[in-house]
């Protein structure tokens, strides 16, 4: 899940709410500042504690209409990996405002 941090939230609060751990949230995020700022975008692995085999993810918002393959090229990421982790085909048409998980 992609979550925007709101005032008063903490990783501990989110971990409890979404049945995961702080360490798991930290591990699955490509970059997570400390402290986490309000409006920071965080990836939360819902109901997961063991994330072995998963890469760290960078959430990214689509700013222009394009398909998944074009977006993958713009982010310098393998299209098949991007498609897999976002459950989309390479030809799926993205819209501005869509969010994708970029495996890093």
């Amino acid at each position: 899940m992609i979550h925007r941090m709101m005032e008063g939230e903490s990783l501990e609060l989110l971990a409890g709410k979404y049945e995961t751990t702080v360490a798991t949230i930290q591990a699955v995020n490509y970059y997570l500042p400390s402290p986490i700022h309000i409006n920071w975008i965080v990836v939360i692995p819902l109901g997961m504690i063991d994330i072995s085999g998963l890469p760290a993810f960078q959430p990214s918002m689509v700013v222009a209409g394009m398909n998944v393959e074009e977006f993958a090229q713009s982010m310098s990421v393998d299209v098949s990996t991007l498609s897999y982790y976002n459950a989309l085909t390479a030809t799926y048409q993205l819209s501005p405002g869509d969010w994708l998980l970029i495996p890093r």
Side-chain angles (χ1 to χ4, degrees):
M1 179 175 98
I2 297 173
H3 178 82
R4 183 179 304 272
M5 295 296 289
M6 296 168 50
E7 190 165 343
E9 289 184 323
S10 66
L11 291 184
E12 291 81 6
L13 177 78
L14 296 175
K17 183 176 180 179
Y18 295 110
E19 300 177 0
T20 188
T21 67
V22 170
T24 303
I25 293 171
Q26 290 170 327
V28 81
N29 280 274
Y30 179 66
Y31 174 75
L32 204 55
S34 181
I36 299 176
H37 312 288
I38 296 170
N39 291 323
W40 192 264
I41 304 298
V42 178
V43 177
I44 302 173
L46 302 175
M48 295 180 73
I49 295 173
D50 180 12
I51 58 162
S52 54
L54 280 181
F57 293 101
Q58 174 187 0
S60 182
M61 188 174 70
V62 176
V63 294
M66 62 182 73
N67 66 32
V68 172
E69 184 172 14
E70 293 165 334
F71 187 81
Q73 290 173 352
S74 75
M75 297 299 291
S76 301
V77 64
D78 177 67
V79 66
S80 62
T81 305
L82 181 69
S83 295
Y84 174 78
Y85 285 114
N86 290 279
L88 300 170
T89 64
T91 57
Y92 180 82
Q93 189 65 33
L94 300 166
S95 299
D98 288 346
W99 283 91
L100 295 178
L101 295 175
I102 312 303
R104 294 295 185 190

